[in-house]
């Protein structure tokens, strides 16, 4: 008899199928809130990475967001033009500059996050801490599992 505690692949598949609608719903909500700021969803994601990580390179942001370096560079260039970020020399790697928030960029991303918290409050009120902790653990394990699978495929391709 199958262990009732261990989910089967059908249950995992059902969970994974919820990710796209969740992502699209969140993206639409964020985009709607961002309309007032003049910041795009992609720009917001890059600003948040810089806020969370401090000075950081374009390739590092790409790895964290699982997006191509070229796409992140395009967004970084937009943020530079808007004066939300600035370049700083990278002592560890001369060709890969660090991006850091300007005062204007810091104020913008902080204001965005304050508004987002207000939007999240009713959703958070419908959940308890155990549910959030479990959801985070599950999402982390699923991501790690598929990351490991993708890494093994990439290793096979390079052999």
């Amino acid at each position: 008899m199958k262990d009732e505690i261990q989910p089967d692949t059908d249950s995992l598949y059902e969970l994974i199928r919820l990710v796209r609608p969740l992502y699209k719903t969140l993206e639409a909500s964020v985009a709607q809130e961002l309309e007032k700021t003049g910041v795009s969803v992609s720009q917001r994601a890059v600003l948040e990475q810089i806020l969370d990580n401090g000075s950081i390179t374009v390739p590092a942001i790409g790895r964290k967001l699982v997006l191509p370096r070229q796409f992140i560079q395009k967004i970084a260039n937009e943020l530079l033009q808007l004066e939300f970020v600035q370049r700083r020399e990278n002592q560890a790697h001369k060709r890969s500059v660090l991006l850091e928030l300007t005062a204007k960029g810091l104020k913008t991303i902080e204001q965005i996050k304050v508004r987002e918290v207000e939007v999240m409050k009713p959703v958070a009120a419908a959940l308890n801490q155990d549910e959030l902790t479990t959801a985070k653990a599950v999402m982390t394990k699923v991501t790690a599992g598929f990351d490991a699978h993708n890494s093994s495929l990439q290793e096979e391709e390079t052999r």
Side-chain angles (χ1 to χ4, degrees):
M1 186 169 151
K2 190 171 187 174
D3 184 0
E4 294 295 323
I5 296 173
Q6 184 66 35
D8 58 24
T9 54
D10 290 341
S11 296
L12 177 58
Y13 195 83
E14 288 177 34
L15 176 69
I16 291 168
R17 288 184 63 182
L18 292 173
V19 171
R20 182 168 174 76
L22 173 63
Y23 173 79
K24 296 307 284 179
T25 300
L26 290 172
E27 182 179 45
S29 179
V30 169
Q32 191 172 14
E33 287 298 312
L34 289 175
E35 281 180 8
K36 304 165 190 138
T37 67
V39 174
S40 72
V41 172
S42 298
Q43 291 169 341
R44 182 230 171 273
V46 171
L47 288 171
E48 183 175 54
Q49 284 299 311
I50 300 168
L51 177 68
D52 290 349
N53 295 287
S55 298
I56 187 170
T57 64
V58 165
I61 295 170
R63 285 189 297 275
K64 289 180 178 292
L65 295 177
V66 192
L67 289 168
R69 183 201 57 77
Q70 296 86 346
F71 178 74
I72 300 300
Q73 186 62 61
K74 175 186 171 289
I75 301 305
N77 291 343
E78 293 169 0
L79 293 170
L80 284 161
Q81 281 188 314
L82 293 168
E83 299 179 348
F84 289 156
V85 300
Q86 60 191 9
R87 289 184 179 107
R88 196 179 87 205
E89 187 177 321
N90 183 353
Q91 298 298 327
H93 193 283
K94 297 291 180 198
R95 291 179 46 134
S96 188
V97 299
L98 295 167
L99 296 176
E100 60 185 21
L101 294 173
T102 61
K104 180 180 176 183
L106 178 62
K107 181 179 177 186
T108 300
I109 190 62
E110 286 178 340
Q111 288 173 338
I112 288 168
K113 291 187 76 139
V114 165
R115 280 196 293 275
E116 289 172 347
V117 166
E118 290 305 311
V119 172
M120 285 190 275
K121 280 182 180 177
V123 177
L127 302 165
N128 67 47
Q129 190 59 48
D130 287 343
E131 290 170 322
L132 291 172
T133 300
T134 299
K136 181 179 178 184
V138 168
M139 293 174 79
T140 300
K141 286 179 184 178
V142 170
T143 301
F146 283 100
D147 276 347
H149 171 74
N150 293 342
S151 293
S152 68
L153 288 177
Q154 289 172 349
E155 286 175 16
E156 287 176 16
E157 289 175 2
T158 58
R159 288 183 206 160

